[in-house]
Amino acid sequence: MIELKKETERVILVGVCLPGQEDIDASLEELSELAKTAGAVTVGKVVQSRDQVHPGTYVGKGKIDEIKSLLWELDATGIICDDELSPAQMKNLQDELDAKVMDRTLVILDIFAARASTSEGKIQVEQLKYRQTRLAGFGTAMSRLGGGIGTRGPGEKKLEMDRRLIKNRIALLNRELKSVKQHREVTREKRAKSRIPVAAIVGYTNAGKSTLLNALTGADILAEDKLFA
């Protein structure tokens, strides 16, 4: 028997500071919290000031070389970019760095996948992950970790399916989601007829909505000091 140890992902956060943008530090701090919620530890941060995001690689060639050195120096397993990357940007960065490349959207989707409990939530998460074509193709960077951020929900194998199968899978998910929504609508109509008052708690992630709901109703739902818990 060989025991496989689950390795904690060590990531470097990468951001681009555009003209007039003053909240890059706060944005990276939030990204660090997102990474922590997803199960990764932040070991470094890199920020490049540019007039615009590099269309091919997100950051310029000089920064890519700097990040490549930091990956080795800090024994990092990958990077998380503060903006949503295009499939081309993600692939080009992977080729340049030979490391796992993620973006803010991927991390949030991964957290959603880990937290989804209702049938509707699971279907929506799986649908979103299939539509995110940039999730496919982590290659050796993913295999070194045996999973990690981005593999929850549908799973790595399903992400490697060809486009025809993925298209069919999305069509099936759409039908399942429609069925779930119809069931929700029936329940909603019954509630409206019974004149049961309905209230909503609205706020930013980690503002205390779940904690307030538990205090008011004793619902005992998950409430943690984490983003999107």
Side-chain angles (χ1 to χ4, degrees):
M1 294 289 290
I2 299 176
E3 184 177 347
L4 297 177
K5 183 180 178 181
K6 184 178 179 180
E7 183 179 348
T8 300
E9 293 185 75
R10 295 168 55 84
V11 297
I12 296 172
L13 308 183
V14 180
V16 172
C17 185
L18 302 175
Q21 185 178 1
E22 299 177 353
D23 61 345
I24 185 67
D25 291 334
S27 185
L28 287 180
E29 187 62 33
E30 181 180 75
L31 185 61
S32 178
E33 288 297 318
L34 286 170
K36 179 181 177 183
T37 302
V41 57
T42 298
V43 296
K45 298 178 182 179
V46 174
V47 176
Q48 182 174 38
S49 296
R50 294 180 58 91
D51 290 335
Q52 60 181 10
V53 170
H54 193 290
T57 53
Y58 185 60
V59 293
K61 176 63 177 174
K63 274 301 182 210
I64 290 177
D65 292 338
E66 180 182 333
I67 294 169
K68 191 180 298 185
S69 298
L70 279 176
L71 284 167
W72 181 80
E73 292 172 12
L74 301 174
D75 192 28
T77 54
I79 69 169
I80 302 177
C81 295
D82 195 31
D83 298 284
E84 183 172 336
L85 301 177
S86 69
Q89 286 172 328
M90 184 167 282
K91 182 182 184 305
N92 291 337
L93 279 173
Q94 288 167 355
D95 291 343
E96 290 281 352
L97 300 173
D98 188 27
K100 189 173 180 179
V101 177
M102 298 162 279
D103 61 12
R104 178 180 281 263
T105 302
L106 172 54
V107 175
I108 292 174
L109 285 176
D110 189 77
I111 294 170
F112 284 172
R115 297 288 187 264
S117 56
T118 66
S119 57
E120 184 177 16
K122 289 177 179 178
I123 291 169
Q124 287 174 328
V125 167
E126 191 168 352
Q127 184 182 46
L128 282 169
K129 291 178 82 75
Y130 269 109
R131 284 178 171 173
Q132 293 289 321
T133 55
R134 58 186 56 79
L135 303 191
F138 283 137
T140 56
M142 179 179 284
S143 63
R144 282 197 295 266
L145 280 169
I149 298 173
T151 60
R152 282 181 276 247
E156 181 181 0
K157 291 298 182 183
K158 288 182 181 177
L159 292 174
E160 294 172 353
M161 294 168 68
D162 64 37
R163 293 189 178 187
R164 179 181 58 82
L165 292 178
I166 289 175
K167 185 177 179 180
N168 291 339
R169 181 62 175 162
I170 290 176
L172 173 62
L173 289 171
N174 275 324
R175 290 194 293 272
E176 292 180 12
L177 185 56
K178 184 178 180 181
S179 175
V180 172
K181 286 183 176 179
Q182 288 174 342
H183 177 72
R184 282 280 187 91
E185 191 60 37
V186 171
T187 305
R188 191 177 294 111
E189 288 176 0
K190 288 182 178 179
R191 190 166 58 237
K193 289 179 180 179
S194 65
R195 298 186 180 277
I196 298 175
V198 178
I201 300 175
V202 182
Y204 195 64
T205 180
N206 208 31
K209 300 184 297 297
S210 298
T211 301
L212 177 59
L213 179 63
N214 288 338
L216 291 173
T217 68
D220 196 31
I221 61 172
L222 177 66
E224 296 180 352
D225 187 17
K226 293 180 180 179
L227 301 181
F228 298 111

